[in-house]
Amino acid sequence: MNITWNRLFGSLLLFVFFALLGGCGKGYDETPPAVSGVNVSANEIVPTVAGGIVSIEMAFSDDQELNQAIMMVKPADDLDGFFSWTEGDWNAFKLVELNGDNTSQTFTLLAPDSARGKHLVSINAIDARGNESETFEFFIDVQNGLLPYIDVSSINGQSALPIQLQAGQPLEMQGMINGGGIFSSYIVSVNDSAVISADPSSSMVGLDFYPATVPSEMSGTGILSIYVSNGSTASTRTFAIIID
């Protein structure tokens, strides 16, 4: 008799436990917050200048209590391929507390003097239960007249990456470097080995003006870099290459 009652009591405890567990599950929050731009659209490109201030208002909502929002800024991938590049170290990170289930928040971003080109802005939110929103993304395009502008139209007749080069053969680049004042240093490197090193003492550099040769001892994949400085600021462009 005692065994039967013990089993019955144990079964009753299990029933109560699972009933309570099922009751708790009914109120469990699995709905992620929603994030939308008030004055910016998803994937929009927002123009600004170096040193400029960009204010972005975002709206956050959820069916229950919100918790936090995070905004990150980093250089965007090369969206325009061969003909454009991003300059500067703009790695911003902003974390804000959110209250209620429907609110807005304004993020203010200062474009660094060292930045130019497109930068990706991503915004996420989490609620009190830890549910994370889908990422809201847009771009900031920084125009910067302080930095030298390296405009490359082709390398050895090619304008698609990676660039195919021949070891020991001429390196022929077409394009122009201008803006940012008088250039005191101009360096072209293949895998960190300088093939051009000059002091132009000029406000313009034609990329076809200085002769160069692809190092004969190199082969395989690598990086071609173009660096120019006016003494106070500098720009660098890099291109993926394959040397046969």
Side-chain angles (χ1 to χ4, degrees):
M1 180 68 68
N2 288 338
I3 295 175
T4 302
W5 278 108
N6 286 338
R7 289 177 177 173
L8 181 61
F9 183 72
S11 299
L12 185 60
L13 286 177
L14 286 174
F15 175 81
V16 172
F17 172 76
F18 285 115
L20 290 172
L21 186 63
C24 291
K26 291 179 181 178
Y28 188 72
D29 176 21
E30 294 183 334
T31 304
V35 181
S36 59
V38 176
N39 60 348
V40 65
S41 302
N43 299 315
E44 182 178 346
I45 299 175
V46 179
T48 189
V49 296
I53 296 176
V54 179
S55 292
I56 301 299
E57 185 178 1
M58 301 297 301
F60 304 92
S61 61
D62 196 17
D63 61 339
Q64 297 192 36
E65 186 75 13
L66 293 161
N67 185 6
Q68 292 178 325
I70 183 173
M71 171 180 279
M72 291 184 289
V73 184
K74 63 180 182 179
D77 293 332
D78 193 356
L79 301 176
D80 299 320
F82 183 88
F83 298 102
S84 182
W85 87 103
T86 299
E87 189 83 28
D89 183 17
W90 187 4
N91 291 310
F93 175 94
K94 293 180 181 290
L95 181 67
V96 298
E97 301 294 326
L98 299 176
N99 297 310
D101 59 7
N102 197 321
T103 187
S104 64
Q105 177 72 38
T106 298
F107 296 86
T108 301
L109 300 172
L110 174 64
D113 290 338
S114 61
R116 69 163 301 280
K118 294 184 178 69
H119 290 72
L120 175 66
V121 183
S122 60
I123 303 165
N124 288 84
I126 60 172
D127 61 20
R129 287 287 188 175
N131 299 307
E132 185 176 356
S133 69
E134 292 186 3
T135 302
F136 184 97
E137 293 182 338
F138 65 96
F139 301 91
I140 294 179
D141 190 5
V142 184
Q143 301 298 313
N144 194 338
L146 302 175
L147 296 177
Y149 187 80
I150 305 171
D151 183 15
V152 182
S153 57
S154 68
I155 299 176
N156 282 36
Q158 303 164 63
S159 57
L161 299 176
I163 301 296
Q164 301 280 341
L165 300 178
Q166 296 290 326
Q169 297 299 308
L171 175 64
E172 300 174 343
M173 300 184 296
Q174 298 293 324
M176 183 71 66
I177 303 174
N178 52 34
I182 304 298
F183 303 134
S184 57
S185 181
Y186 169 54
I187 300 172
V188 177
S189 301
V190 177
N191 290 351
D192 296 325
S193 178
V195 296
I196 298 174
S197 182
D199 176 4
S201 298
S202 172
S203 59
M204 290 192 300
V205 175
L207 297 182
D208 59 348
F209 183 78
Y210 296 95
T213 301
V214 180
S216 58
E217 70 277 9
M218 293 185 180
S219 63
T221 60
I223 295 294
L224 168 69
S225 66
I226 303 173
Y227 167 89
V228 63
S229 171
N230 58 18
S232 57
T233 61
S235 290
T236 303
R237 283 203 67 177
T238 58
F239 300 87
I241 58 174
I242 297 177
I243 303 176
D244 296 327

Short mmCIF file of all heavy atoms in Angstrom, two decimals, residues 150 152 155 165 171 173 177 186-197 207 212 222-228 235-241:
data_model
loop_
_atom_site.label_atom_id
_atom_site.label_comp_id
_atom_site.label_asym_id
_atom_site.label_seq_id
_atom_site.Cartn_x
_atom_site.Cartn_y
_atom_site.Cartn_z
N ILE A 150 43.24 59.34 -55.00
CA ILE A 150 43.95 58.46 -55.93
C ILE A 150 42.94 57.88 -56.91
O ILE A 150 42.18 56.97 -56.58
CB ILE A 150 44.67 57.33 -55.16
CG1 ILE A 150 45.60 57.91 -54.09
CG2 ILE A 150 45.46 56.45 -56.12
CD1 ILE A 150 46.19 56.86 -53.15
N VAL A 152 42.34 55.80 -60.09
CA VAL A 152 42.99 54.81 -60.95
C VAL A 152 41.98 54.33 -61.99
O VAL A 152 40.89 53.85 -61.63
CB VAL A 152 43.50 53.61 -60.13
CG1 VAL A 152 44.22 52.61 -61.03
CG2 VAL A 152 44.42 54.09 -59.01
N ILE A 155 45.07 49.27 -64.54
CA ILE A 155 46.40 48.76 -64.23
C ILE A 155 46.72 47.67 -65.24
O ILE A 155 46.00 46.67 -65.34
CB ILE A 155 46.49 48.20 -62.79
CG1 ILE A 155 46.18 49.31 -61.77
CG2 ILE A 155 47.86 47.58 -62.52
CD1 ILE A 155 46.14 48.82 -60.34
N LEU A 165 49.29 40.21 -63.40
CA LEU A 165 50.58 40.82 -63.72
C LEU A 165 51.58 39.73 -64.10
O LEU A 165 51.45 38.58 -63.70
CB LEU A 165 51.11 41.61 -62.52
CG LEU A 165 50.25 42.77 -62.01
CD1 LEU A 165 50.90 43.40 -60.78
CD2 LEU A 165 50.04 43.82 -63.10
N LEU A 171 55.04 47.57 -65.06
CA LEU A 171 53.80 47.88 -64.34
C LEU A 171 53.27 49.19 -64.90
O LEU A 171 53.89 50.24 -64.71
CB LEU A 171 54.07 48.00 -62.84
CG LEU A 171 52.89 48.42 -61.97
CD1 LEU A 171 51.78 47.37 -62.01
CD2 LEU A 171 53.34 48.66 -60.54
N MET A 173 50.28 51.85 -65.04
CA MET A 173 49.07 52.35 -64.38
C MET A 173 48.60 53.63 -65.05
O MET A 173 49.41 54.49 -65.42
CB MET A 173 49.36 52.61 -62.90
CG MET A 173 49.81 51.38 -62.13
SD MET A 173 50.01 51.71 -60.36
CE MET A 173 51.34 52.91 -60.39
N ILE A 177 46.56 61.43 -59.35
CA ILE A 177 46.42 61.73 -57.92
C ILE A 177 46.41 63.25 -57.78
O ILE A 177 47.31 63.94 -58.28
CB ILE A 177 47.59 61.16 -57.10
CG1 ILE A 177 47.70 59.65 -57.31
CG2 ILE A 177 47.39 61.46 -55.62
CD1 ILE A 177 48.91 59.03 -56.64
N TYR A 186 55.46 59.65 -52.63
CA TYR A 186 54.63 58.81 -53.51
C TYR A 186 55.32 57.47 -53.61
O TYR A 186 56.47 57.37 -54.07
CB TYR A 186 54.50 59.47 -54.88
CG TYR A 186 53.90 58.60 -55.96
CD1 TYR A 186 52.67 57.98 -55.79
CD2 TYR A 186 54.56 58.41 -57.17
CE1 TYR A 186 52.11 57.20 -56.78
CE2 TYR A 186 54.02 57.62 -58.19
CZ TYR A 186 52.80 57.01 -57.97
OH TYR A 186 52.25 56.23 -58.95
N ILE A 187 54.63 56.42 -53.15
CA ILE A 187 55.23 55.08 -53.11
C ILE A 187 54.25 54.07 -53.69
O ILE A 187 53.08 54.04 -53.31
CB ILE A 187 55.59 54.66 -51.66
CG1 ILE A 187 56.59 55.64 -51.05
CG2 ILE A 187 56.17 53.24 -51.63
CD1 ILE A 187 56.84 55.42 -49.57
N VAL A 188 54.73 53.26 -54.60
CA VAL A 188 53.97 52.14 -55.14
C VAL A 188 54.71 50.86 -54.74
O VAL A 188 55.91 50.74 -54.97
CB VAL A 188 53.81 52.21 -56.67
CG1 VAL A 188 53.06 50.99 -57.19
CG2 VAL A 188 53.09 53.50 -57.07
N SER A 189 53.97 49.93 -54.12
CA SER A 189 54.59 48.69 -53.63
C SER A 189 53.85 47.48 -54.16
O SER A 189 52.63 47.51 -54.36
CB SER A 189 54.57 48.65 -52.10
OG SER A 189 55.27 49.75 -51.55
N VAL A 190 54.61 46.42 -54.39
CA VAL A 190 54.05 45.12 -54.73
C VAL A 190 54.47 44.17 -53.62
O VAL A 190 55.67 43.92 -53.42
CB VAL A 190 54.55 44.62 -56.10
CG1 VAL A 190 54.00 43.22 -56.38
CG2 VAL A 190 54.15 45.59 -57.20
N ASN A 191 53.48 43.68 -52.85
CA ASN A 191 53.78 42.82 -51.70
C ASN A 191 54.83 43.44 -50.78
O ASN A 191 55.80 42.79 -50.39
CB ASN A 191 54.22 41.43 -52.16
CG ASN A 191 53.10 40.64 -52.78
OD1 ASN A 191 51.95 41.05 -52.73
ND2 ASN A 191 53.43 39.52 -53.38
N ASP A 192 54.63 44.72 -50.44
CA ASP A 192 55.50 45.47 -49.51
C ASP A 192 56.89 45.76 -50.07
O ASP A 192 57.74 46.27 -49.34
CB ASP A 192 55.64 44.74 -48.16
CG ASP A 192 54.32 44.63 -47.41
OD1 ASP A 192 53.51 45.58 -47.52
OD2 ASP A 192 54.09 43.62 -46.74
N SER A 193 57.12 45.43 -51.33
CA SER A 193 58.39 45.78 -51.96
C SER A 193 58.17 46.99 -52.86
O SER A 193 57.39 46.93 -53.82
CB SER A 193 58.91 44.59 -52.79
OG SER A 193 60.12 44.93 -53.44
N ALA A 194 58.82 48.12 -52.54
CA ALA A 194 58.60 49.36 -53.28
C ALA A 194 59.16 49.26 -54.69
O ALA A 194 60.33 48.93 -54.89
CB ALA A 194 59.25 50.53 -52.54
N VAL A 195 58.31 49.54 -55.67
CA VAL A 195 58.75 49.60 -57.07
C VAL A 195 58.81 51.04 -57.55
O VAL A 195 59.42 51.32 -58.60
CB VAL A 195 57.82 48.76 -57.97
CG1 VAL A 195 57.91 47.29 -57.60
CG2 VAL A 195 56.38 49.25 -57.89
N ILE A 196 58.19 51.98 -56.84
CA ILE A 196 58.30 53.41 -57.09
C ILE A 196 58.41 54.10 -55.73
O ILE A 196 57.63 53.83 -54.83
CB ILE A 196 57.09 53.99 -57.85
CG1 ILE A 196 56.94 53.37 -59.23
CG2 ILE A 196 57.19 55.51 -57.96
CD1 ILE A 196 55.68 53.79 -59.96
N SER A 197 59.36 55.00 -55.58
CA SER A 197 59.50 55.82 -54.38
C SER A 197 59.99 57.19 -54.82
O SER A 197 61.12 57.31 -55.31
CB SER A 197 60.48 55.19 -53.38
OG SER A 197 60.57 55.96 -52.21
N LEU A 207 49.84 58.75 -62.84
CA LEU A 207 50.31 57.42 -62.49
C LEU A 207 51.19 56.80 -63.57
O LEU A 207 51.91 55.84 -63.30
CB LEU A 207 49.11 56.50 -62.22
CG LEU A 207 48.21 56.90 -61.03
CD1 LEU A 207 47.09 55.88 -60.86
CD2 LEU A 207 49.02 57.03 -59.75
N ALA A 212 57.90 51.64 -63.75
CA ALA A 212 58.03 50.61 -62.72
C ALA A 212 57.98 49.23 -63.36
O ALA A 212 57.45 49.06 -64.46
CB ALA A 212 56.93 50.74 -61.68
N GLY A 222 48.81 38.49 -54.33
CA GLY A 222 49.45 39.55 -53.55
C GLY A 222 48.64 40.82 -53.57
O GLY A 222 47.47 40.84 -53.96
N ILE A 223 49.30 41.89 -53.14
CA ILE A 223 48.65 43.20 -53.03
C ILE A 223 49.54 44.26 -53.67
O ILE A 223 50.74 44.34 -53.40
CB ILE A 223 48.40 43.58 -51.55
CG1 ILE A 223 47.41 42.61 -50.91
CG2 ILE A 223 47.88 45.01 -51.45
CD1 ILE A 223 46.01 42.68 -51.47
N LEU A 224 48.93 45.07 -54.52
CA LEU A 224 49.57 46.28 -55.05
C LEU A 224 49.01 47.46 -54.28
O LEU A 224 47.80 47.62 -54.17
CB LEU A 224 49.25 46.42 -56.54
CG LEU A 224 49.60 47.78 -57.19
CD1 LEU A 224 51.10 47.96 -57.28
CD2 LEU A 224 48.95 47.90 -58.55
N SER A 225 49.89 48.29 -53.71
CA SER A 225 49.43 49.44 -52.95
C SER A 225 50.02 50.72 -53.52
O SER A 225 51.16 50.75 -53.98
CB SER A 225 49.80 49.31 -51.47
OG SER A 225 51.21 49.36 -51.29
N ILE A 226 49.18 51.78 -53.49
CA ILE A 226 49.59 53.12 -53.93
C ILE A 226 49.43 54.06 -52.74
O ILE A 226 48.33 54.19 -52.20
CB ILE A 226 48.73 53.61 -55.12
CG1 ILE A 226 48.82 52.63 -56.28
CG2 ILE A 226 49.18 55.00 -55.56
CD1 ILE A 226 47.86 52.95 -57.42
N TYR A 227 50.52 54.69 -52.34
CA TYR A 227 50.53 55.57 -51.16
C TYR A 227 51.00 56.95 -51.57
O TYR A 227 51.97 57.09 -52.33
CB TYR A 227 51.46 55.00 -50.09
CG TYR A 227 51.80 55.94 -48.96
CD1 TYR A 227 51.01 56.01 -47.82
CD2 TYR A 227 52.92 56.77 -49.03
CE1 TYR A 227 51.31 56.88 -46.78
CE2 TYR A 227 53.23 57.65 -48.00
CZ TYR A 227 52.43 57.69 -46.88
OH TYR A 227 52.73 58.55 -45.85
N VAL A 228 50.31 57.98 -51.09
CA VAL A 228 50.75 59.35 -51.35
C VAL A 228 50.48 60.19 -50.11
O VAL A 228 49.47 60.01 -49.42
CB VAL A 228 50.04 59.94 -52.59
CG1 VAL A 228 48.54 60.03 -52.38
CG2 VAL A 228 50.61 61.30 -52.96
N SER A 235 46.96 59.10 -48.17
CA SER A 235 45.96 58.15 -48.67
C SER A 235 46.67 56.92 -49.19
O SER A 235 47.79 56.99 -49.71
CB SER A 235 45.13 58.78 -49.79
OG SER A 235 44.28 59.80 -49.31
N THR A 236 45.98 55.80 -49.07
CA THR A 236 46.50 54.53 -49.58
C THR A 236 45.40 53.76 -50.28
O THR A 236 44.30 53.62 -49.75
CB THR A 236 47.07 53.66 -48.44
OG1 THR A 236 48.09 54.37 -47.74
CG2 THR A 236 47.66 52.37 -48.99
N ARG A 237 45.69 53.27 -51.46
CA ARG A 237 44.76 52.37 -52.17
C ARG A 237 45.44 51.04 -52.36
O ARG A 237 46.66 50.97 -52.61
CB ARG A 237 44.38 52.94 -53.53
CG ARG A 237 43.37 54.05 -53.49
CD ARG A 237 42.63 54.19 -54.81
NE ARG A 237 41.77 53.05 -55.06
CZ ARG A 237 40.97 52.93 -56.11
NH1 ARG A 237 40.92 53.89 -57.02
NH2 ARG A 237 40.20 51.89 -56.26
N THR A 238 44.68 49.96 -52.26
CA THR A 238 45.22 48.62 -52.45
C THR A 238 44.41 47.86 -53.49
O THR A 238 43.20 48.06 -53.62
CB THR A 238 45.24 47.82 -51.14
OG1 THR A 238 43.91 47.73 -50.62
CG2 THR A 238 46.14 48.51 -50.11
N PHE A 239 45.10 46.98 -54.23
CA PHE A 239 44.47 46.19 -55.27
C PHE A 239 44.96 44.75 -55.18
O PHE A 239 46.17 44.51 -55.04
CB PHE A 239 44.81 46.74 -56.67
CG PHE A 239 44.39 48.16 -56.89
CD1 PHE A 239 45.22 49.21 -56.53
CD2 PHE A 239 43.15 48.45 -57.46
CE1 PHE A 239 44.83 50.53 -56.72
CE2 PHE A 239 42.76 49.76 -57.67
CZ PHE A 239 43.59 50.80 -57.29
N ALA A 240 44.03 43.80 -55.24
CA ALA A 240 44.41 42.39 -55.27
C ALA A 240 45.02 42.05 -56.63
O ALA A 240 44.51 42.46 -57.68
CB ALA A 240 43.18 41.51 -55.01
N ILE A 241 46.14 41.32 -56.61
CA ILE A 241 46.86 40.99 -57.84
C ILE A 241 47.20 39.50 -57.87
O ILE A 241 47.21 38.83 -56.83
CB ILE A 241 48.16 41.81 -57.99
CG1 ILE A 241 49.08 41.57 -56.80
CG2 ILE A 241 47.84 43.29 -58.14
CD1 ILE A 241 50.45 42.22 -56.94
#
